[in-house]
Amino acid sequence: MIGDAQKPSSLATQQLPLLRKLPIPLAAIMMQQIARADRLFPVELQELKRSLQALASPHSPAIEAAVRAFAALQLSPELQHLDWATDPASFVEKMSAELWSSGQIGAFHDAAKLLVPATLPTQTSPPIKPARFVTIALDRRLSAESSTPSLFLKLRPHGTFFPNVKDEEPNTLGEWLSARAAAAPAPYAHWRLSGEADRSPSPASVVSLSYDGLKSTRQQLLARFNATRNTDGASGPEGLRHTLLQLTPEQIGLASMPDPVLRAFAMEIFTGGSGTQLYATTFVQWTVREVLRRAQPQTLLARFTPRSEATSIDLRFTYPELEPPPDGRGSLIDAEMGAYLSYLNLQRLPDEGASFLVWHEGYGQALLIGNGMPGNAQSQSPITLKALLRLTT
Amino acid sequence: MNQVDQWNRLAAGRSYDRREFLRGLCGSALATTVSSVLPRRAWGSAVKRRKVVVVTFGGGARDEETFAPEGQQNIPRMLQELMPQAAFFTQVVNRGILGHYVATASLATGVYERFNNFADVSPENPTLFEYFRQSLKRPASDAWVVAPSNGFNRIGQSSHGLYTGAGASVILPKRLLAHADGSAAFGGLEHLLNDNYESPIQAPVALASEMPSEQVASMLKLSVADFAAHASTLNSPDELSLFVARRIMREVAPCLLWVTLHDIDVAHTGAFSLYLEGIRRSDTICAELWRTIQSEPEYKDQTNLLILPDFGRDSDGDAGGNGFQHHRTGDALSRTTWMMALGPDVRQNTVVDRPIESIDLTPTVAALFGCDARMSQGHLIRELGL
C-alpha cells in the first residue's frame, strides 16, 4: 500500500520492482509521477495510487491492453539504455522527442488514454456537496467596439443566456466563494484566480493566485530566460527545458509561499505554461485549466482582467520588469475564448451536475450552464448576479 | 479503428465542412474526376516561362478561424478576391512532425523529415529548389526563400551530397535589421526581430551560407538604412517578408519564390486575439502577393500561386492540448489543413475534395517546371494539370 505521507524517494524505491516489469515508456511516465508525489494535490495522489495498484494487481483486460500498447512502442537502443528511473523527467523529454520523430506519438497518446480508467475510482463515488461550480468574471475594462456586443456565442448552445444581469452588492462573487468554502472546507477545494490581486481578502480556506500577485516570480523567470539565451553555448530550447526541469520554486522568489504543493504548482504555471509569464489573460486561462485538471476543486472563481498590449517577446526578455499598457479590446476576445476553454475543461471532470457561469460586469451579460438551464435559451428578465448564482444549486 | 483510419475519417469530415461552406459561398464546382479540373489551356509550350510562388503559413491555422463559417470574417480577401479564381483543396494531411521548421522542410523536400525541429540543421533530402536548379541548370538567383526566423536559414539547401550548392537563396528579412548577436541594429525595430513563438529561445544558428546583409540589400537595390526606415512603418515580421518578397519579384524576378509567414504562431502565447490578428494579416498578405503577381510583367498570367498552412492547430476537444494555442497533440485536426492554388495551370473556382498530403507539394511544383523530384515521397497533384 502507498501511504499518503510517503516521500517520493521511498515511494520510488518501493515501486521500482513493479515498474521494472513494465514497458519502459510506461515505467518512465509512472516514475515521473512518483518523483513528483510530494508536489501532487490530494486528488492526483489518489489517482497515482490507483494506477499503481491496478498495474500491480492481476490485470484487467483494459490494463492489459494499455500495457500491450506501451510495449508496442519502439524505442531506440540509445534511449533504452538511459536511466529512466533516476531522472524520469529528462528521460520523458527525450522519449517524447523520439516518439515524434519516429511517428509514434499518436500511438503513445492512445496507450496513455487506455490507462485513464485505471486512475478512476472503482466504486461509484458519492456526488460532491456542494456540486462543483466554476464562475468566470470578465472585468468591465474588457471592452468591445460595439456598445452592446453579443458575448459568449461559443457557449450559448450549452446554456441559458441572460442579457440583463445586475450586481447590486459590492462583493457578490467574493462572498459566494467564501460561503461555499465555509460550507465544505477541504484542502485545495476552493480557488480564486485573477489577473490582478484580490481587492477583498479571501478566507484561508480559499487558495488564491493572481498574475499581479506573482509579478516578482514572473519577472525573475523572464530574467532567467534572458540569461539562458545570452549564455555562450546556450543549447536552445532543449537547454532551456532542461534548465526549467531543474528549477526550484525558491529560485524564482516563491520561498515565501508556505505550502510546498502550492509553491510547486505556482512555479509550474510559469514553467509549463506558454505565455503565462507575458499576458494576464493567458495566465488566468491556463491556471483555470491546470486547477481543474489537477486539483479538481469544488469551487473556482476566475477573473479575467486586461492583459498588456502585444509586445515583442524579445523586449520582454530583455526588460523583464516591463509591464506594457493594457489592451482591453484584445483582452475581451482572449477572455471569451478563455471562458469557453474553461467550460470544456470542466466538462472533462468525471462528475455530473456541475455548474458554469460566465458574466461580464460591464455589459451585464451572463451565461449559465447547469441543472435546469436549457441550452440555446435566453432569458430577457432582469436578474441579479446573486440570484443567478442560486439558479442551478 | 486504427489511428490512420481515424485521421482519415476526421479529415474527411472536416473536408466536407469546408466544401459545403465554399459551395455556399462561391458556388464552386466540386471536382470529382481529374479530367474535370484540367487546366483550360495547355501549358507545355509555356513551361520555360512558368513561375511559381509558394506561400506557407508557418504557424498553423484552424478551420474555426478560417474556412469554417464562424471563421470567414478573418479571411475576407482570400474568400472574396482569391477564391473565385482558385482551386481549393479541402484535405491536405500532414503525417509528419508538427514543428514549423521541420514541417516546412518536409513540404520543401516532399519527404517527412525527422530531424529535431529546433536544431540548426539542413533537410536531409533534396529540396524543391535543388531539383529545380540542378535539373534546369538555373542560377541561384532564380530560386528564393523568404523565411521568418533564424531557424529557417538552412531551409534552402539540403545536406544531400548529390545537390551540393544547388539550393535557394534564403533571405531572413529580419537579419537585415539586426546585429550579428540578434539585437536590433536600428532603434525601435526590436518588435520585428523576435518571432520564434514555439520556444522562447532559439538554438544558436550558424551563418554558414548566408549572404551578407549588404549584398542582399544591393541586390534588392535598397540600402540597409532605407530598408530599416521602411520597416519601421510595418507592424509585423510578416509584413516585412511581404515587402522583401515584392522587392525580390521586382528586382530579381525568380521563377521559384517561397515565402513562409509566421505571425499566426503568436498563438503559442495563448492570446487568441493576437492569433486572429495574425490570420487577418496573412489573409491580406496573400491577397497583396497575388496582386503583385498580376501587376508585375515578369509574373502576370504565367505564375501559379500555392497557399497552404504547414499544418493545423490542436482542436478544442482534445484534452491533451489547449485548443488553438499549440499543435502538440498530433490529433487529426492539427494534421489536416487546406491548400489554395491560383494561376494558369489551375481551373478557377473549383473545389477538390480528395485527400492529398503536404509532401505532395514538392513533386507537383517540380513537375510544373518540367523536372522530377525523384527522391520525394509525395505524389503528383494531378488536378494542377499534371
Side-chain angles (χ1 to χ4, degrees):
Chain A
M1 289 299 291
I2 304 159
D4 283 339
Q6 210 158 4
K7 293 287 183 195
S9 55
S10 65
L11 184 57
T13 305
Q14 184 187 48
Q15 297 295 329
L16 200 51
L18 164 66
L19 298 185
R20 290 206 184 280
K21 293 178 190 167
L22 299 175
I24 289 176
L26 177 55
I29 60 171
M30 295 309 299
M31 185 59 99
Q32 188 183 22
Q33 278 291 80
I34 289 171
R36 300 174 65 243
D38 59 349
R39 289 180 274 161
L40 298 179
F41 291 111
V43 176
E44 293 179 287
L45 198 56
Q46 291 298 320
E47 288 179 348
L48 175 61
K49 287 163 63 175
R50 281 193 289 269
S51 299
L52 290 170
Q53 283 163 358
L55 290 166
S57 58
H59 294 168
S60 69
I63 294 294
E64 292 279 12
V67 172
R68 273 200 308 275
F70 279 107
L73 298 170
Q74 302 288 316
L75 301 186
S76 67
E78 295 77 25
L79 196 59
Q80 290 184 51
H81 284 106
L82 289 182
D83 184 2
W84 55 265
T86 304
D87 186 3
S90 296
F91 181 90
V92 169
E93 283 285 309
K94 290 186 175 71
M95 180 175 73
S96 175
E98 187 171 303
L99 291 171
W100 270 103
S101 67
S102 59
Q104 298 181 90
I105 194 69
F108 176 78
H109 287 153
D110 289 345
K113 284 174 188 167
L114 290 173
L115 203 60
V116 170
T119 68
L120 302 176
T122 49
Q123 296 174 337
T124 307
S125 305
I128 58 169
K129 296 283 186 182
R132 206 183 314 274
F133 203 133
V134 172
T135 293
I136 308 287
L138 274 56
D139 186 283
R140 65 177 65 248
R141 290 167 292 172
L142 273 54
S143 59
E145 280 183 51
S146 158
S147 58
T148 52
S150 292
L151 300 180
F152 318 132
L153 295 177
K154 284 178 86 75
L155 284 165
R156 289 197 195 184
H158 307 283
T160 302
F161 180 61
F162 295 85
N164 299 304
V165 181
K166 287 202 170 98
D167 184 16
E168 295 172 332
E169 298 176 29
N171 188 26
T172 304
L173 291 176
E175 288 171 8
W176 166 80
L177 175 63
S178 298
R180 283 181 58 94
Y188 313 110
H190 308 281
W191 288 71
R192 182 171 195 157
L193 308 172
S194 178
E196 294 178 351
D198 292 346
R199 287 175 289 193
S200 56
S202 299
S205 54
V206 172
V207 183
S208 188
L209 292 176
S210 74
Y211 181 78
D212 273 0
L214 294 166
K215 185 176 182 177
S216 170
T217 296
R218 287 190 282 113
Q219 293 180 348
Q220 288 185 52
L221 190 63
L222 290 176
R224 278 182 178 268
F225 285 176
N226 198 42
T228 302
R229 70 174 177 164
N230 291 335
T231 302
D232 285 344
S235 50
E238 283 159 349
L240 175 65
R241 189 76 198 136
H242 185 73
T243 301
L244 294 179
L245 283 174
Q246 312 300 322
L247 198 65
T248 65
E250 293 73 20
Q251 289 174 303
I252 50 172
L254 287 166
S256 61
M257 203 177 268
D259 179 343
V261 174
L262 195 57
R263 204 158 56 217
F265 178 75
M267 179 183 75
E268 287 166 3
I269 289 298
F270 292 122
T271 57
S274 172
T276 52
Q277 323 84 357
L278 304 173
Y279 296 126
T281 47
T282 303
F283 170 86
V284 172
Q285 187 273 317
W286 181 258
T287 310
V288 169
R289 176 194 195 270
E290 289 299 279
V291 169
L292 288 172
R293 182 178 72 85
R294 295 186 50 190
Q296 301 186 15
Q298 281 178 260
T299 315
L300 173 55
L301 170 59
R303 179 182 175 81
F304 282 95
T305 60
R307 66 159 166 78
S308 59
E309 66 183 19
T311 311
S312 152
I313 294 174
D314 182 60
L315 216 55
R316 297 292 295 271
F317 285 2
T318 308
Y319 306 103
E321 72 286 358
L322 186 69
E323 298 285 340
D327 173 5
R329 200 154 287 175
S331 300
L332 177 58
I333 296 168
D334 297 350
E336 283 212 77
M337 175 53 81
Y340 176 66
L341 292 174
S342 298
Y343 169 68
L344 295 183
N345 285 310
L346 174 63
Q347 289 296 99
R348 292 184 179 120
L349 296 183
D351 59 308
E352 295 179 353
S355 296
F356 181 89
L357 171 69
V358 55
W359 99 287
H360 191 293
E361 64 182 27
Y363 296 115
Q365 297 181 27
L367 187 126
L368 181 61
I369 302 170
N371 290 334
M373 291 293 112
N376 268 327
Q378 182 164 328
S379 172
Q380 292 287 351
S381 305
I383 188 170
T384 65
L385 182 61
K386 197 169 183 178
L388 204 54
L389 287 162
R390 288 197 297 261
L391 282 183
T392 57
T393 53
Chain B
M1 184 180 296
N2 67 33
Q3 192 169 63
V4 172
D5 288 342
Q6 192 178 17
W7 285 348
N8 290 343
R9 185 175 56 82
L10 288 167
R14 181 47 48 103
S15 158
Y16 176 84
D17 293 343
R18 289 191 184 113
R19 186 182 70 223
E20 290 307 301
F21 169 62
L22 291 169
R23 196 205 301 274
L25 185 81
C26 307
S28 302
L30 176 64
T32 52
T33 62
V34 168
S35 61
S36 68
V37 290
L38 287 176
R40 288 168 298 173
R41 59 187 172 83
W43 57 274
S45 59
V47 71
K48 285 181 183 170
R49 300 182 64 223
R50 181 66 73 239
K51 293 181 188 289
V52 173
V53 177
V54 175
V55 179
T56 69
F57 293 1
R62 308 191 302 182
D63 271 25
E64 289 95 318
E65 288 83 44
T66 53
F67 283 96
E70 65 269 31
Q72 61 180 284
Q73 61 185 320
N74 300 316
I75 51 167
R77 295 189 65 180
M78 287 174 72
L79 287 175
Q80 290 160 23
E81 295 177 33
L82 303 191
M83 187 61 76
Q85 308 173 61
F88 187 78
F89 295 78
T90 64
Q91 291 186 70
V92 182
V93 180
N94 185 324
R95 302 190 194 281
I97 301 173
L98 304 187
H100 293 302
Y101 174 47
V102 66
T104 305
S106 301
L107 262 65
T109 61
V111 178
Y112 290 121
E113 298 287 330
R114 296 293 183 191
F115 57 80
N116 179 340
N117 182 57
F118 299 109
D120 179 25
V121 296
S122 298
E124 289 182 9
N125 298 282
T127 62
L128 170 63
F129 321 109
E130 293 162 289
Y131 291 127
F132 165 73
R133 280 193 56 208
Q134 193 168 85
S135 298
L136 303 179
K137 299 186 171 27
R138 298 291 180 91
S141 59
D142 217 14
W144 281 73
V145 176
V146 181
S149 60
N150 295 348
F152 281 74
N153 73 322
R154 294 188 185 273
I155 190 79
Q157 170 74 60
S158 73
S159 58
H160 200 286
L162 292 179
Y163 291 86
T164 304
S169 305
V170 177
I171 181 166
L172 309 175
K174 290 177 299 171
R175 279 286 176 79
L176 301 176
L177 303 174
H179 292 302
D181 65 358
S183 62
F186 299 91
L189 298 180
E190 294 85 352
H191 67 290
L192 294 175
L193 289 182
N194 190 308
D195 66 351
N196 178 32
Y197 303 113
E198 282 183 289
S199 168
I201 290 182
Q202 185 75 40
V205 171
L207 300 177
S209 58
E210 198 176 346
M211 274 189 279
S213 297
E214 292 72 17
Q215 189 180 336
V216 173
S218 169
M219 193 175 286
L220 301 183
K221 296 184 180 168
L222 185 68
S223 78
V224 174
D226 287 346
F227 179 64
H230 183 84
S232 68
T233 67
L234 304 176
N235 292 317
S236 82
D238 282 354
E239 289 186 8
L240 192 61
S241 293
L242 171 65
F243 172 73
V244 169
R246 281 172 156 168
R247 202 79 189 189
I248 290 171
M249 292 167 76
R250 168 69 58 85
E251 301 298 339
V252 191
C255 286
L256 176 55
L257 173 62
W258 180 298
V259 181
T260 291
L261 304 179
H262 200 51
D263 284 357
I264 291 173
D265 217 29
V266 73
H268 283 297
T269 66
F272 187 63
S273 54
L274 301 183
Y275 162 61
L276 295 183
E277 279 180 22
I279 292 173
R280 290 171 187 146
R281 197 174 294 122
S282 301
D283 175 64
T284 298
I285 286 171
C286 289
E288 289 301 316
L289 264 177
W290 181 243
R291 280 193 179 186
T292 302
I293 287 169
Q294 294 310 317
S295 64
E296 289 289 342
E298 288 277 350
Y299 288 88
K300 183 176 170 56
D301 295 334
Q302 56 187 329
T303 304
N304 292 307
L305 172 64
L306 304 171
I307 305 167
L308 71 166
D310 50 5
F311 45 77
R313 304 191 82 86
D314 294 333
S315 66
D316 292 333
D318 194 314
N322 191 39
F324 71 96
Q325 188 175 13
H326 300 301
H327 35 82
R328 292 176 177 168
T329 65
D331 69 359
L333 296 186
S334 67
R335 292 186 178 280
T336 309
T337 183
W338 47 265
M339 182 171 78
M340 183 180 275
L342 303 93
D345 296 319
V346 175
R347 169 157 290 199
Q348 296 186 352
N349 199 18
T350 303
V351 175
V352 179
D353 203 28
R354 76 172 179 92
I356 61 174
E357 290 195 44
S358 50
I359 56 170
D360 296 342
L361 179 74
T362 275
T364 300
V365 174
L368 287 173
F369 284 118
C371 54
D372 179 17
R374 60 195 178 95
M375 293 179 216
S376 155
Q377 293 172 358
H379 299 93
L380 291 180
I381 303 171
R382 295 202 174 276
E383 289 86 349
L384 292 179
L386 298 168

